[in-house]
Amino acid sequence: MKRLNMTLLAAALALAAGAADAATLKIATVAPDGTAWMREMRAAGEAIRSKTEGRVEMKFYPGGVMGDDATVLRKMKIGQLQGGAFTGGEASILTKDAQIYSLPFMFRSQDEVDKVRAKLDPLLKQQFAKDGYELLGVSGGGFAYLMSTREIKTRDDLKAAKVWVPLGDKVAELGFKAAGVTPIPLPLSDVYTSLQTGLVDSAANTTSGALAFQWHTKIKHVVDLPLSYVVGEVVVDKKAFDAISAEDRKVVEAEFGAGFSRLEATNRNDNTSARSALEQQGIRFDAPSEAERKNWQAVGDDVFRQLQGEGALSPEMLEALTAALAEARGGSIR
């Protein structure tokens, strides 16, 4: 009996030690549950738990249940959360270079985006690390389009609109101000209600994002010109991440990397299908004239110059972007 008791005690101590060594990374996002984004994050979490034999657990809080981005950041600082999943503009409250892919009218094709990201994603990871965060993954969400309850064919039409920008998104603010618009900054989670009440009547999103967040029930028009490229970024507090063993950190990074690669492929298909769905619901895609396209491009050039002058993005990242884009275009960004 004594030997049996000692065996049970040893087993209990081993279980306790294992529990003490286990790490739980709690990550919040405004992405609704059931979306491809959440499916891949949950799949990554399950794989991480299995491959680390329970030493690392991922717990997700979707649908904005933990609050807006500022609230999530505050909860990260006090240890209530260890991380968050943001768009590039939203993540700029953590690292200003997070919005490097959001520059208006910067990219002409998905191929350009892919070539530039191959060079800039590693630099972005380094920038997050300098600011105390670990970038677990970047996933391309596709091109964002300006969507509205009203018809917008010219810059004059846009000046009369009530346009939403993500709270804290310096690039989006500069872009619309350069077009003569005073935008309305709000958390992403507030946009649907604001479209409903008329606080805003125009907002930018991917076609699949418009469906996921139910904006398609409010909007009637889409300006058929890619405004910016949307990325999703999952970041965790670096101290919490570094507390995990090196071996388990590799598992976490590998699983998020694999999950986000699958997510990118899904997003591209979803955006194509979503556009068809929006058109079938009677939402009009209004193509601007060639003269208006040049006007929008001039806005993009103006924003780039302002960002250089104001230091809203680091000189290193802007230089890297320029070089990578020039290479993708055969030697010139024009």
Side-chain angles (χ1 to χ4, degrees), residues 11-329:
L13 289 173
L15 287 172
D21 292 336
T24 300
L25 298 179
K26 300 175 182 177
I27 297 177
T29 176
V30 297
D33 211 358
T35 57
W37 176 269
M38 284 308 306
R39 289 197 301 272
E40 288 297 348
M41 291 232 287
R42 291 192 188 282
E46 285 298 315
I48 289 165
R49 183 188 59 78
S50 175
K51 292 183 179 182
T52 63
E53 298 179 339
R55 291 185 299 274
V56 180
E57 294 273 359
M58 311 296 296
K59 190 167 184 179
F60 301 105
Y61 298 88
V65 296
M66 281 290 181
D68 61 21
D69 304 315
T71 303
V72 169
L73 178 58
R74 184 168 63 251
K75 290 179 178 180
M76 287 172 63
K77 288 182 177 178
I78 64 175
Q80 186 177 350
L81 292 170
Q82 285 70 50
F86 310 95
T87 64
E90 293 162 350
S92 64
I93 61 178
L94 309 179
T95 296
K96 63 182 181 181
D97 286 335
Q99 53 194 329
I100 189 67
Y101 301 122
S102 304
L103 298 181
F105 311 108
M106 178 58 62
F107 297 107
R108 298 173 183 170
S109 67
Q110 184 65 53
D111 181 62
E112 283 188 356
V113 174
D114 294 341
K115 289 176 179 177
V116 169
R117 280 192 52 198
K119 301 290 180 65
L120 265 64
D121 276 6
L123 300 180
L124 188 57
K125 186 177 180 68
Q126 293 174 15
Q127 292 299 104
F128 270 104
K130 288 179 183 178
D131 289 325
Y133 301 97
E134 187 70 27
L135 179 62
L136 294 184
V138 181
S139 178
F143 287 104
Y145 296 83
L146 186 62
M147 305 174 178
S148 183
T149 61
R150 57 195 296 163
E151 188 175 46
I152 298 177
K153 285 191 173 181
T154 68
R155 284 177 65 176
D156 287 337
D157 293 335
L158 183 62
K159 289 176 185 178
K162 294 180 284 187
V163 183
W164 165 74
V165 294
L167 193 64
D169 189 334
K170 179 72 171 177
V171 170
E173 271 195 70
L174 281 177
F176 283 111
K177 286 180 178 177
V181 178
T182 301
I184 301 171
L186 294 168
L188 176 61
S189 55
D190 289 354
V191 177
Y192 175 81
T193 302
S194 298
L195 285 169
Q196 193 172 37
T197 62
L199 177 61
V200 300
D201 58 28
S202 305
N205 204 339
T206 62
T207 51
S208 60
L211 290 176
F213 290 100
Q214 301 294 304
W215 296 6
H216 68 289
T217 62
K218 305 301 172 190
I219 63 170
K220 296 179 180 178
H221 296 271
V222 178
V223 178
D224 198 6
L225 177 68
L227 174 60
S228 63
Y229 192 75
V230 176
V231 296
E233 298 167 347
V234 175
V235 297
V236 295
D237 179 80
K238 190 160 179 58
K239 290 181 180 178
F241 188 68
D242 288 346
I244 301 171
S245 71
E247 181 182 354
D248 288 345
R249 290 199 300 269
K250 289 180 181 178
V251 173
V252 174
E253 291 182 304
E255 291 305 322
F256 268 93
F260 275 25
S261 292
R262 294 190 299 268
L263 181 59
E264 287 215 29
T266 299
N267 285 340
R268 295 182 191 190
N269 291 331
D270 285 354
N271 280 325
T272 300
S273 300
R275 177 173 178 132
S276 296
L278 294 177
E279 290 175 329
Q280 288 171 10
Q281 292 186 31
I283 295 172
R284 285 177 46 188
F285 282 72
D286 302 314
S289 67
E290 187 58 33
E292 284 301 320
R293 284 178 178 270
K294 291 180 179 178
N295 281 337
W296 295 125
Q297 187 59 59
V299 169
D301 294 341
D302 188 29
V303 171
F304 189 87
R305 287 191 294 269
Q306 287 188 59
L307 291 171
Q308 283 181 308
E310 297 181 11
L313 294 168
S314 71
E316 295 81 8
M317 286 297 279
L318 284 174
E319 289 172 11
L321 171 64
T322 301
L325 197 55
E327 183 178 338
R329 293 179 181 172

